[in-house]
């Protein structure tokens, strides 16, 4: 296991990267957010694979776990889903000290983070990203939020997690298309900040495509270091942090034109991510 610190004064936190970290999730959460109850927010796809082991780990650490599963896919990133999650949390009598744990990809992390930022005016938030994209980008840096019919990520907050736990084993179950989406973010870091990383990615495509953990682990670490370094210097995107949006702006435009998962996605991907299209017409922000 390797650990990076995101240095933001009182909002500092660690990113832990390694295999088999879900096993010790409860122990790690109790170090940063001791409480009697917690919310474990996931989606139906990720929950079916990792939900039980995450829940059992939290229970071993003494938490009473309220497990909340949203539908898989971008359509869950909306205010009506946020409202339903608040209702379930209130019914379970979750308190201000109760941590909210996001187990999943970017949609779950953004949604759960927004819930954590706003439920009872803020509860401790833990990111457990299970996609490559979420491990190298969306789980780090504190951007949380949901979409509006008028556009993507139009409502949100900068709300830093207390801990990011990247269990590398979860990458083995990622559909190929989602893995490649994460690789695009990895390549981004090479382009915006690290020529040696970019050249290494070019030279090691076979190991990348094989998801060789020996190769991926230091690559993920390097991406998180770059992200942490930018977020530390410009937490609220006054200027520098915009560099992290490199490729996102065009990507969001393509997403909008394609109806959020319609034109370019294959059937199997839609089964995992859910069909969007819906009312979201325009992209804006990242
Ligand atoms: N995903 C871009 C950022 O966190 O700033």
């Amino acid at each position: 296991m390797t650990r990076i610190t995101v240095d933001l004064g009182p909002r500092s936190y660690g990113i832990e990267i390694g295999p088999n970290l879900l096993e010790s999730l409860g122990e790690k959460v109790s170090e940063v957010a001791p409480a009697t109850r917690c919310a474990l927010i996931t989606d139906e796809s990720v929950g079916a694979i990792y939900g039980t082991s995450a829940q059992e780990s939290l229970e071993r650490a003494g938490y009473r776990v309220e497990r909340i599963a949203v539908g898989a896919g971008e359509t869950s990133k909306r205010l009506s889903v946020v409202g339903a999650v608040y209702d379930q949390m209130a019914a379970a009598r979750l308190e201000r000290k109760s941590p909210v744990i996001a187990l999943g990809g970017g949609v779950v992390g953004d949604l759960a983070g927004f819930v954590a930022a706003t439920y009872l005016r803020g509860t401790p938030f833990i990111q457990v990203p299970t996609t490559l994209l979420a491990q190298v980008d969306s789980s780090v840096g504190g951007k949380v939020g949901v979409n509006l019919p008028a556009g993507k990520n139009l409502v949100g907050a900068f709300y830093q997690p207390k801990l990011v736990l990247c269990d590398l084993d979860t990458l083995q179950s990622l559909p190929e298309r989602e893995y490649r989406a994460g690789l695009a973010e990895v390549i981004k870091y090479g382009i915006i900040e690290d020529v040696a990383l970019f050249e290494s990615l070019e030279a090691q495509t076979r190991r990348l495509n094989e998801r060789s953990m020996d190769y991926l682990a230091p690559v993920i670490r390097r991406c998180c270091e770059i992200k942490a370094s930018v977020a530390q210097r410009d937490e609220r995107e006054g200027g520098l942090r915009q560099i992290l949006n490199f490729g996102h702006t065009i990507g969001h435009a393509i997403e909008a034109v394609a109806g959020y998962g319609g034109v370019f996605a294959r059937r199997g991907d839609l089964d995992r991510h859910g069909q969007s299209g819906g009312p979201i017409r325009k992209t804006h922000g990242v």
Side-chain angles (χ1 to χ4, degrees):
M1 198 269 286
T2 175
R3 184 181 163 97
I4 298 164
T5 299
V6 183
D7 191 355
L8 287 166
R11 295 180 308 291
S12 296
Y13 55 97
I15 307 168
E16 299 193 359
I17 303 164
N20 199 29
L21 296 185
L22 272 184
E23 177 73 20
S24 51
L25 172 67
E27 197 184 308
K28 308 254 181 214
V29 172
S30 67
E31 284 165 16
V32 294
T36 50
R37 299 162 201 236
C38 70
L40 176 63
I41 303 182
T42 186
D43 71 30
E44 287 156 354
S45 305
V46 175
I49 309 174
Y50 301 113
T52 301
S53 47
Q55 180 167 349
E56 286 175 357
S57 176
L58 289 160
E59 286 171 350
R60 280 197 302 279
Y63 289 99
R64 190 157 140 202
V65 180
E66 182 64 17
R67 190 155 145 187
I68 302 171
V70 302
E74 188 73 21
T75 44
S76 284
K77 246 180 79 169
R78 63 190 145 102
L79 288 169
S80 59
V81 177
V82 170
V85 174
Y86 290 148
D87 288 342
Q88 192 172 336
M89 289 172 59
R93 309 188 74 78
L94 292 171
E95 296 162 354
R96 193 175 276 159
K97 278 188 164 180
S98 310
V100 170
I101 298 137
L103 174 71
V107 167
V108 166
D110 284 9
L111 171 81
F114 185 67
V115 166
T118 48
Y119 180 74
L120 295 177
R121 300 191 177 87
T123 58
F125 177 43
I126 318 294
Q127 285 270 23
V128 188
T130 59
T131 65
L132 181 59
L133 189 148
Q135 292 188 356
V136 298
D137 183 42
S138 60
S139 68
V140 176
K143 277 189 184 174
V144 296
V146 294
N147 304 321
L148 289 183
K152 194 171 163 97
N153 295 338
L154 289 193
V155 175
F158 290 95
Y159 192 71
Q160 301 296 339
K162 299 268 178 225
L163 173 70
V164 180
L165 208 64
C166 299
D167 186 332
L168 298 176
D169 293 338
T170 61
L171 300 181
Q172 296 302 337
S173 59
L174 267 187
E176 188 59 20
R177 186 171 186 275
E178 229 179 300
Y179 178 67
R180 285 171 182 258
L183 286 182
E185 289 292 340
V186 171
I187 293 165
K188 172 191 88 175
Y189 288 107
I191 295 171
I192 65 169
E193 181 67 23
D194 189 337
V195 175
L197 172 65
F198 187 80
E199 288 174 351
S200 163
L201 296 170
E202 279 189 308
Q204 301 289 343
T205 48
R206 188 182 57 78
R207 292 172 82 195
L208 267 183
N209 289 334
E210 286 171 355
R211 308 187 193 188
S212 155
M213 280 306 143
D214 289 348
Y215 183 65
L216 267 183
V219 164
I220 292 170
R221 182 192 163 93
R222 180 65 191 130
C223 294
C224 288
E225 277 171 357
I226 297 170
K227 175 114 198 209
S229 150
V230 174
Q232 279 163 195
R233 286 176 282 160
D234 182 18
E235 184 182 4
R236 297 177 73 87
E237 202 170 287
L240 172 70
R241 186 165 175 166
Q242 286 170 16
I243 193 78
L244 296 172
N245 304 339
F246 181 74
H248 290 199
T249 313
I250 181 79
H252 286 183
I254 293 170
E255 259 190 297
V257 170
Y260 291 90
V263 174
F264 297 110
R266 297 185 306 271
R267 188 64 245 163
D269 302 317
L270 294 181
D271 287 341
R272 179 173 165 80
H273 293 292
Q275 178 62 276
S276 180
I280 298 169
R281 289 178 279 105
K282 188 178 115 188
T283 77
H284 197 289
V286 286

